Amino acid sequence: MAAINNDWLEALQGEFKKPYYKKLFQTVNQEYRTRLIFPPADDVFNAFHLTPLKDVKVVILGQDPYHNNGQAHGLCFSVKKGVEVPPSLVNIYQELHDDLGCTIPNHGCLTKWAGQGVLLLNTVLTVRAHQANSHRDIGWEQFTDAAITALDAQDRPIVFILWGSPAQRKKAMLHNPKHLILQAPHPSPLSAYRGFFGSRPFSRTNEFLKENGLEPIDWQIE
């Protein structure tokens, strides 16, 4: 796994020394040696690499990586260019279109968002091929909880977008009155019609950022 080497390292370095992380690291290494695991090992920490802690304006929490070939690259909901856009992201794009009038792109790569301060963080960072949630409860949740705690401690406005009940369970960790928490059902086809559509997370995020003197996110994916 490519080491974290920006300001996230200082925020998270205490975790690397803890017994659970050593066990997690050994487990994940063994999994990469013996099975097909996504995302590629060098992409596991991409959310942290592409969005330094000091730059985070928005946090979108996902559950675990896409588990089909060539999809996951370390950012929740995002896939590499040339890969079919997954159903949840199709619905995210539809809501983005309805909310802000953005044109719907022909690919699912969200690195443009990450580069503007949108942390696209899965709560579990690896998965076995074709086995959703297969790396749940091996230690990743404790690690990403530490990242959420570090974000909550930032003394500046940050928007937390929590889609679906696993993400919404993290609300209990968020106590900073400077932050905005937006909740809605998950954008998956199973639940998007229960209130994800029409929740307007993108315009509400930008209104909050502007109210706080921050540059809004250009959500349009070209």
Side-chain angles (χ1 to χ4, degrees):
M1 295 187 287
I4 296 173
N5 54 16
N6 58 14
D7 60 354
W8 275 109
L9 180 60
E10 188 179 346
L12 296 173
Q13 63 185 357
E15 300 306 302
F16 298 125
K17 301 184 179 90
K18 292 179 180 176
Y20 88 86
Y21 190 85
K22 288 176 180 162
K23 189 176 174 207
L24 168 65
F25 188 79
Q26 287 165 354
T27 302
V28 171
N29 265 353
Q30 177 67 11
E31 287 279 287
Y32 272 105
R33 278 200 300 273
T34 57
R35 295 173 178 270
L36 182 58
I37 301 298
F38 299 130
D42 285 347
D43 290 345
V44 168
F45 291 128
N46 268 355
F48 299 107
H49 294 153
L50 293 174
T51 315
L53 179 56
K54 66 175 172 48
D55 296 339
V56 175
K57 295 178 181 176
V58 182
V59 180
I60 297 178
L61 284 182
Q63 198 163 346
D64 68 333
Y66 293 124
H67 53 82
N68 289 331
N69 293 30
Q71 290 181 305
H73 66 124
L75 305 178
C76 72
F77 295 107
S78 180
V79 292
K80 293 176 182 173
K81 288 183 179 175
V83 176
E84 185 179 357
V85 179
S88 289
L89 186 53
V90 169
N91 288 340
I92 290 169
Y93 282 166
Q94 185 61 51
E95 177 61 19
L96 185 56
H97 171 75
D98 296 346
D99 186 9
L100 289 175
C102 291
T103 54
I104 293 175
N106 62 359
H107 67 86
C109 184
L110 305 179
T111 51
K112 179 182 174 180
W113 293 358
Q116 296 180 79
V118 181
L119 182 71
L120 297 162
L121 183 65
N122 280 313
T123 53
V124 172
L125 299 185
T126 53
V127 69
R128 285 181 184 172
H130 318 302
Q131 293 182 47
N133 277 325
S134 45
H135 281 180
R136 186 172 59 191
D137 297 333
I138 64 169
W140 280 128
E141 293 90 343
Q142 192 170 341
F143 181 75
T144 54
D145 278 359
I148 294 167
T149 300
L151 289 159
D152 189 54
Q154 298 299 300
D155 193 29
R156 62 177 199 274
I158 296 175
V159 182
F160 290 84
I161 297 177
L162 308 180
W163 289 327
S165 52
Q168 287 163 15
R169 284 198 282 275
K170 304 299 182 186
K171 184 181 179 182
M173 302 175 60
L174 303 174
H175 311 289
N176 192 323
K178 290 190 176 174
H179 298 164
L180 174 67
I181 299 170
L182 298 177
Q183 300 184 92
H186 195 276
S188 83
L190 296 172
S191 54
Y193 288 95
R194 296 185 202 144
F196 172 76
F197 288 129
S199 61
R200 301 182 53 246
F202 308 103
S203 60
R204 290 165 71 194
T205 292
N206 279 355
E207 284 159 16
F208 176 80
L209 293 175
K210 286 190 278 197
E211 281 165 15
N212 285 280
L214 296 167
E215 188 75 22
I217 305 298
D218 175 9
W219 294 104
Q220 177 68 64
I221 299 288
E222 278 75 26

